[in-house]
Amino acid sequence: MREDKALQVAVVGTGYVGLGTAVMLAYLGHNVVGVDVDQAKVDLLQRGQLPIYEPHLDQLLQDSASRLRWTTDYASAIPDADVIFICVGTPPLPNGQPNLSYVAEAAQSIARHLDGKLQVVVNKSTVPIGTGDWVARLLEDHARDYHAGRYLVVSNPEFLREGTALHDSLYPDRIVLGSDSPVAIAQLVRLYEPLLDQDFEAPASVPRPAGYTRPELVTTSLSSAEMIKYAANAFLALKISFANEIAGLCEWVDADIQEVTRGIGCDQRIGPRFLGAGAGWGGSCFGKDTAALISIGREYGYSMPILTAAVEINQRQRQLVITKLQQHLHRLKGKRVAVLGMAFKPNTDDLRDAPAHDCIQRLVELGAQVVAHDPVAMPRARQEWQHLGYLEAASAEAALHGADAALVMTEWDEYRQLDWESALRQMRRRLVIDTRHVITNFSGQGVVEQIGRGRSGTGSLAHEVAI
C-alpha cells in the first residue's frame, strides 16, 4: 500500500477479533494502535508475544511490527485515528441477551477523546440490532465537543473462524458495511481497498487460495448489517444441529451419517460445510448468537422455535456422549476416562462453551477419574477450568494408558495421526467414543464408536471385537 493511502487506525479490544483485525490491517499497510485495559496483555504484545493461539498470527505480528503499537491509553490512540474499531467482548447474560457493558465503556472512552475531525467508529463486536444507533448516541452524549456529521458509526461484522482467522481475514467471502452515511461507507471502502482489490502480497504462511479473486462488498443499513451477523451464525448452528438430529436416527436405522451428509452436501443448495455430526457446536459465537436472536424475538413477542430446537439438540449431544459411555461401562464411578481435546475446535486454545468442559464436569459428578489432553489448550485450561477436577496428561498416549474408556472431543490432526491400534493396547478396556470422526480404518481389537454410524461394523468403525 502506498504511504499516502495508509489510514490511522485504533482497535479497542485485543481478543481474538481485535487482535486479528489489528495485525491484518497493519500487514495491509495501515498504521494501527491496539488499545486494551488489561496492562498484562498490552505488556505481552509490546514484547511481541501473543495472548492467544492462532496459527501463523505470530509471524504476521512480527512482519507488521513497524506499523503496530499497543497501549492502555485512549488519549494516545483515539485523537489521531481516522477509523476506530470496537472489538470488545459481548458475553451472554443469564437471560440470553448480550452484555453490552464493555461496548458502552469503550464507546464512552472513545467519545471523550475524539478531536473534531471526520472519524468513523466501527462496531465489529457482535451486537444486537440497534446497537449502532445506541453507540452513536453515546458518542453524542460523551464527546467533549460533539460535531454532527463528523463522528460516524458503521457496523462491520466479522465472519472469522478461529483456527483459520488469518485466511478468513485476508481472503474473505464478503465484507459487510452497514451505515446510513455514504461518507462513512467510503472511508471503510478506502480502508479495505487492499482486500477488495487483492493487490497485497500474500504472506508465505497464508497463501492466496487458488482461484480466489476478490470478496463481495455488501453495503446495507446499520440494522441489516447487525442482523446479517446473527443470521449467518444462527444458520450455521442450525446446519450442525440438523446433522446431529439426523445422526441420531441413522444409528436406529443402520445408516451412516458420513455417507448421508456427503450425499446431501453434493446438492449445491445445501453444500457440504457445517454438516459434521458429533458432540455439537461450542465456542464464543454460535451459542451466544442463537440465544441473542431468541431473546430479541422474545422482546417483540416473536417466537423462534427452529432456533430454540437447535439449541436443545446441541445440549442433547453433550449428554449423548455420556450416555454412550454408560451403555458400555454401565457405572462410571471409579472408572478412568481419557478426554482427548479440550478446545472447542482444533487450531485454537479457546475453551469458551467447549463440549469437553460439560463432559468432564459430568464425568466427575458421576465419580469417574478424568485424564485430559490437548495439544494447545491445556495452559489456558489451568486458568479457566480450575473448578473441574481432572488430571493432565503430557500426551494422548499418556492419557490413554490404563484408561477404561476414551472420548475424542476435538478433531486435532495429532489425534488423526495417532497409531490407535498401538495406543488402545495401553488401555485397561479398549473403548473409544470418537465424537469427531478422527479414527479411520481401525481394524484392531476393541470398541470404536462414532456418532451417527451403524453398530454392525459393516462399512463402519462402530464395532466390537472380543478383548
Side-chain angles (χ1 to χ4, degrees):
M1 170 181 284
R2 295 203 321 263
E3 190 63 33
D4 62 329
K5 289 192 171 185
L7 295 176
Q8 304 297 317
V9 180
V11 177
V12 179
T14 59
Y16 286 90
V17 174
L19 191 53
T21 299
V23 174
M24 181 267 290
L25 290 173
Y27 179 80
L28 295 178
H30 299 294
N31 300 304
V32 182
V33 183
V35 184
D36 202 291
V37 296
D38 186 339
Q39 184 67 58
K41 188 184 290 188
V42 169
D43 291 343
L44 199 67
L45 289 164
Q46 288 175 341
R47 295 195 298 269
Q49 298 174 299
L50 292 171
I52 62 171
Y53 176 82
E54 179 66 35
H56 313 301
L57 186 59
D58 54 350
Q59 183 60 53
L60 212 66
L61 175 68
Q62 181 179 329
D63 294 344
S64 310
S66 64
R67 293 180 295 277
L68 273 168
R69 68 181 179 90
W70 311 96
T71 183
T72 59
D73 182 20
Y74 279 84
S76 71
I78 302 304
D80 293 334
D82 302 303
V83 179
I84 304 156
F85 284 89
I86 298 178
C87 300
V88 298
T90 55
L93 294 166
N95 63 1
Q97 295 179 342
N99 181 351
L100 295 179
S101 62
Y102 303 115
V103 174
E105 291 172 11
Q108 292 166 16
S109 297
I110 290 167
R112 285 191 284 268
H113 295 94
L114 295 171
D115 80 340
K117 68 177 181 180
L118 175 66
Q119 293 180 286
V120 180
V121 177
V122 183
N123 276 341
K124 208 160 185 68
S125 300
T126 302
V127 292
I129 295 86
T131 302
D133 294 329
W134 176 62
V135 167
R137 296 291 79 74
L138 289 175
L139 298 181
E140 182 176 349
D141 292 343
H142 293 273
R144 288 176 296 181
D145 185 17
Y146 181 74
H147 293 257
R150 288 289 180 178
Y151 307 143
L152 309 174
V153 176
V154 173
S155 175
N156 174 216
E158 54 83 18
F159 302 99
L160 310 180
R161 297 165 297 169
E162 290 179 30
T164 59
L166 288 183
H167 177 279
D168 298 342
S169 296
L170 295 170
Y171 317 114
D173 297 320
R174 76 285 203 196
I175 295 175
V176 176
L177 304 176
S179 178
D180 299 322
S181 167
V183 174
I185 294 291
Q187 185 76 306
L188 267 292
V189 169
R190 178 184 171 189
L191 178 79
Y192 285 129
E193 186 176 330
L195 290 183
L196 292 168
D197 293 341
Q198 284 293 303
D199 58 0
F200 62 89
E201 182 179 352
S205 58
V206 193
R208 188 173 282 106
Y212 181 81
T213 54
R214 55 182 294 155
E216 185 80 16
L217 176 63
V218 181
T219 59
T220 74
S221 66
L222 266 172
S223 56
S224 291
E226 292 163 345
M227 179 61 89
I228 285 169
K229 171 61 176 178
Y230 276 125
N233 277 351
F235 187 75
L236 296 176
L238 282 174
K239 288 188 72 174
I240 297 171
S241 287
F242 174 80
N244 278 322
E245 188 164 42
I246 295 299
L249 188 57
C250 282
E251 292 189 12
W252 284 102
V253 302
D254 194 26
D256 186 321
I257 187 61
Q258 290 200 313
E259 294 175 355
V260 172
T261 54
R262 185 170 74 248
I264 66 175
C266 293
D267 189 325
Q268 293 183 3
R269 297 169 300 176
I270 299 172
R273 298 170 66 186
F274 289 87
L275 287 175
W281 36 264
S284 63
C285 294
F286 288 176
K288 176 170 68 70
D289 294 353
T290 51
L293 268 183
I294 293 167
S295 177
I296 292 168
R298 194 181 300 122
E299 290 177 2
Y300 293 89
Y302 184 79
S303 64
M304 306 192 78
I306 297 176
L307 280 185
T308 301
V311 174
E312 292 171 353
I313 291 167
N314 196 61
Q315 288 303 119
R316 184 177 70 185
Q317 291 306 111
R318 302 185 184 194
Q319 177 56 41
L320 175 65
V321 176
I322 305 300
T323 299
K324 285 181 175 295
L325 271 184
Q326 291 172 320
Q327 289 170 345
H328 289 284
L329 300 179
H330 305 296
R331 295 171 304 280
L332 297 181
K333 190 176 183 62
K335 299 297 194 299
R336 183 184 178 98
V337 180
V339 174
L340 301 185
M342 302 165 79
F344 85 93
K345 63 180 291 186
N347 298 318
T348 181
D349 61 351
D350 195 345
L351 298 166
R352 288 175 290 182
D353 196 27
H357 174 278
D358 291 3
C359 287
I360 292 173
Q361 185 175 55
R362 185 59 179 149
L363 286 169
V364 172
E365 289 172 353
L366 292 171
Q369 180 190 63
V370 177
V371 182
H373 173 264
D374 190 285
V376 168
M378 288 197 295
R380 185 174 291 273
R382 288 185 205 119
Q383 301 174 4
E384 298 182 11
W385 288 6
Q386 293 180 11
H387 57 287
L388 296 181
Y390 67 91
L391 303 174
E392 286 188 2
S395 65
E397 292 88 346
L400 293 169
H401 186 78
D404 296 288
L407 302 178
V408 181
M409 299 300 296
T410 314
E411 59 273 34
W412 285 97
D413 283 344
E414 178 174 325
Y415 302 150
R416 295 186 191 279
Q417 297 161 7
L418 188 66
D419 183 348
W420 281 97
E421 293 185 22
S422 174
L424 262 62
R425 286 197 290 270
Q426 307 303 313
M427 298 178 68
R428 180 180 293 114
R429 172 169 179 150
R430 301 170 191 174
L431 167 63
V432 180
I433 309 298
D434 176 12
T435 74
R436 300 302 186 186
H437 299 91
V438 304
I439 306 175
T440 59
N441 301 319
F442 178 80
S443 59
Q445 290 188 329
V447 179
V448 176
E449 184 169 340
Q450 296 179 328
I451 291 172
R453 310 194 78 178
R455 296 171 183 269
S456 66
T458 303
S460 167
L461 291 177
H463 64 283
E464 295 199 33
V465 182
I467 299 176

